[in-house]
């Protein structure tokens, strides 16, 4: 985020932690740790069928642009169509962190299935690179990986608060911590990520503001909420099958949750339901990733990594390092420079920022 950064320490974990050195790597057991402005006035729903190369069945996406969540009935199952009856968790491993430079988190997410459906699991890893100028203070991104609820979350604190002497990374970390706790409070089989984000938003008392993106694997499908310009992407058969759109009030002005209730509300978040399949790869990240790499760049790294037999944590590292390399290259176009030109600004190259990348392999 142009007016944001990210904080990176080794710490701020919830639960029992067992650390093992790889290259600033952590293996975590137990449970752990993610902005929004003006709400929409109407709700629209789109059903999109995306073809998948080399596979006969299509990726079916139900994309909900949800605004007034309060109007939903309390007994409404947000996963209708995913068949959450019989939903079960076989593990209680979670990890949450604002992470530090070069740090990897490696977490295997629990198997989740119901009778008659293919059991799926997420094998996840993450990598975080703070803005070089903010490396000493750790940056302002935060994220979590949790196997108990099979959920992943990322948040990008808005760095503009630094002008007021406030570290927005504190807000992002607290928001993610409360998001994780709220998700764990959800009834099994009827998890509602918008409700969880609303709880986290109310409970977060730190000064600052942040974007938020949370994705959960629920009985064969991905259920996600995204507010702002963090987001997620699904790679299937080496191609970008779907990528969440950024929410912006204007160029480089993303939706965000704000400590003073002056920003957007959680109900403004976009809500997505996407059918998942074995072999899919989920990439969740902050704008430091998506501002600097095109879809084909990310898909290319995923293909190479899988052909080389790399795990998700190494794939996340390679994606993050390529994003930072492009961010410092002022000679090549980037999604950010393309967006700037479309908005009428002269801008070349990438945009240096905090970069958080979480990669999950979806397996049987």
């Amino acid at each position: 985020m142009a007016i944001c950064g990210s904080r990176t320490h080794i710490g701020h974990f919830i639960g029992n932690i067992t650390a093992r050195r790889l290259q600033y790597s952590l293996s975590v057991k137990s449970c752990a740790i993610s902005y929004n402005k003006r709400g929409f006035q109407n709700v629209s729903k789109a059903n999109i069928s995306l073809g998948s190369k080399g596979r006969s069945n299509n990726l079916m996406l139900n994309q909900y642009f949800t605004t007034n969540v309060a109007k939903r009935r309390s007994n409404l199952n947000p996963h209708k169509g995913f068949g959450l009856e019989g939903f079960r968790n076989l593990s209680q491993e979670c990890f949450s962190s604002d992470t530090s430079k070069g740090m990897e988190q490696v977490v295997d997410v629990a198997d989740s299935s119901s009778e008659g459906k293919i059991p799926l699991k997420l094998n996840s890893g993450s990598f975080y690179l703070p803005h070089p100028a903010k490396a000493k203070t750790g940056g302002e991104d935060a994220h979590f990986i949790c196997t108990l609820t099979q959920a992943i979350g990322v948040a990008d604190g808005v760095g503009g608060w630094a002008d007021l002497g406030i570290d927005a990374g504190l807000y992002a970390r607290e928001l993610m911590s409360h998001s994780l706790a709220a998700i764990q409070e959800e009834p099994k089989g009827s998890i509602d990520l918008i409700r969880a984000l609303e709880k986290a938003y109310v409970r977060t008392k730190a000064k600052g503001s942040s974007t938020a993106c949370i994705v959960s694997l629920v009985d064969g499908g991905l259920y996600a909420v995204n507010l702002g310009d963090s987001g997620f992407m699904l790679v299937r058969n080496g191609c970008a099958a779907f990528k969440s759109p950024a929410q912006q009030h204007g160029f480089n002005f993303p939706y965000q949750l704000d400590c003073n209730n002056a920003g957007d509300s959680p109900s403004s978040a976009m809500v997505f339901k996407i059918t998942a399949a074995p072999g899919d790869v989920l990439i969740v990240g902050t704008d430091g990733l998506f501002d600097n790499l095109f879809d084909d760049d990310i898909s290319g790294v995923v293909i190479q990594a899988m052909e080389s037999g790399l795990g998700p944590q190494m794939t996340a590292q390679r994606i993050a390092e390529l994003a930072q390399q492009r961010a410092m290259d002022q000679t090549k176009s980037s999604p950010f420079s393309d967006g700037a030109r479309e908005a009428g600004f002269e801008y070349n190259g990438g945009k240096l920022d905090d970069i958080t990348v979480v990669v999950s392999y979806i397996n049987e």
Side-chain angles (χ1 to χ4, degrees), residues 27-49:
S27 174
V28 182
K29 290 188 176 181
S30 207
C31 279
I33 311 197
S34 197
Y35 181 54
N36 195 348
K37 193 157 172 142
R38 256 176 353 230
F40 292 108
Q41 297 303 314
N42 52 21
V43 181
S44 61
K45 172 180 175 180
N47 292 317
I48 306 172
S49 175

Side-chain angles (χ1 to χ4, degrees), residues 6-7 9 137 139-140 161-162 165-171 173 207-208:
S6 177
R7 184 175 193 117
H9 312 277
T137 56
E140 292 150 356
W161 287 88
I166 296 170
D167 177 8
L170 295 175
Y171 184 92
R173 287 191 292 277
K207 294 292 183 180

Side-chain angles (χ1 to χ4, degrees), residues 1 3 34-38 155-161 164 166 168 170-172 174-175 197-198 200-212 227-228 249 253-268:
M1 191 180 300
I3 53 173
S34 197
Y35 181 54
N36 195 348
K37 193 157 172 142
R38 256 176 353 230
D156 181 1
V158 178
W161 287 88
L164 302 176
I166 296 170
L170 295 175
Y171 184 92
E174 189 174 329
L175 181 65
L197 184 59
E198 288 175 330
Y201 173 55
V202 170
R203 295 171 182 174
T204 300
K205 304 303 181 182
K207 294 292 183 180
S209 54
S210 173
T211 65
L227 191 146
H249 296 294
F253 178 23
Y255 281 47
Q256 50 197 266
L257 298 172
D258 186 283
C259 64
N260 296 320
N261 297 318
D264 301 289
S265 69
S267 62
S268 297

Side-chain angles (χ1 to χ4, degrees), residues 152-191:
I152 296 165
V154 300
D156 181 1
V158 178
W161 287 88
D163 295 337
L164 302 176
I166 296 170
D167 177 8
L170 295 175
Y171 184 92
R173 287 191 292 277
E174 189 174 329
L175 181 65
M176 285 290 92
S177 179
H178 289 308
S179 294
L180 172 65
I183 290 171
Q184 292 174 318
E185 295 169 2
E186 286 294 295
K188 289 185 178 180
S190 60
I191 185 173

Side-chain angles (χ1 to χ4, degrees), residues 103-168:
M103 183 184 210
E104 288 179 279
Q105 293 76 37
V106 184
V107 183
D108 288 327
V109 184
D111 190 346
S112 168
S113 66
S114 60
E115 289 186 6
K117 294 184 180 294
I118 299 176
L120 297 178
K121 72 172 183 178
L122 296 176
N123 180 20
S124 304
S126 65
F127 202 81
Y128 176 47
L129 292 170
H131 189 296
K134 301 174 184 178
K136 290 184 179 180
T137 56
E140 292 150 356
D141 277 4
H143 74 278
F144 71 78
I145 298 172
C146 183
T147 62
L148 175 64
T149 53
Q150 298 193 101
I152 296 165
V154 300
D156 181 1
V158 178
W161 287 88
D163 295 337
L164 302 176
I166 296 170
D167 177 8

Side-chain angles (χ1 to χ4, degrees), residues 144-322:
F144 71 78
I145 298 172
C146 183
T147 62
L148 175 64
T149 53
Q150 298 193 101
I152 296 165
V154 300
D156 181 1
V158 178
W161 287 88
D163 295 337
L164 302 176
I166 296 170
D167 177 8
L170 295 175
Y171 184 92
R173 287 191 292 277
E174 189 174 329
L175 181 65
M176 285 290 92
S177 179
H178 289 308
S179 294
L180 172 65
I183 290 171
Q184 292 174 318
E185 295 169 2
E186 286 294 295
K188 289 185 178 180
S190 60
I191 185 173
D192 188 329
L193 293 182
I194 283 287
R195 182 167 57 202
L197 184 59
E198 288 175 330
K199 288 181 179 179
Y201 173 55
V202 170
R203 295 171 182 174
T204 300
K205 304 303 181 182
K207 294 292 183 180
S209 54
S210 173
T211 65
C213 179
I214 304 174
V215 185
S216 180
L217 177 67
V218 287
D219 190 29
L222 295 173
Y223 172 34
V225 296
N226 184 52
L227 191 146
D229 56 4
S230 294
F232 68 97
M233 174 177 165
L234 188 70
V235 175
R236 174 169 291 179
N237 296 324
C239 300
F242 177 74
K243 179 181 176 183
S244 60
Q247 284 183 303
Q248 299 190 88
H249 296 294
F251 174 70
N252 208 29
F253 178 23
Y255 281 47
Q256 50 197 266
L257 298 172
D258 186 283
C259 64
N260 296 320
N261 297 318
D264 301 289
S265 69
S267 62
S268 297
M270 291 182 179
V271 181
F272 306 88
K273 294 180 180 180
I274 304 174
T275 301
D280 288 352
V281 179
L282 172 68
I283 300 96
V284 185
T286 54
D287 66 329
L289 166 63
F290 297 113
D291 278 345
N292 289 297
L293 295 183
F294 293 101
D295 297 355
D296 288 345
D297 295 326
I298 299 173
S299 299
V301 176
V302 169
I303 293 171
Q304 292 177 359
M306 299 189 77
E307 288 178 346
S308 300
L310 300 181
Q313 67 278 5
M314 285 303 300
T315 304
Q317 177 177 342
R318 289 195 173 188
I319 292 173
E321 289 174 343
L322 179 60

Side-chain angles (χ1 to χ4, degrees), residues 351-363:
K351 184 192 71 162
L352 203 54
D353 202 348
D354 301 315
I355 300 168
T356 295
V357 180
V358 183
V359 172
S360 298
Y361 291 171
I362 302 177
N363 303 318

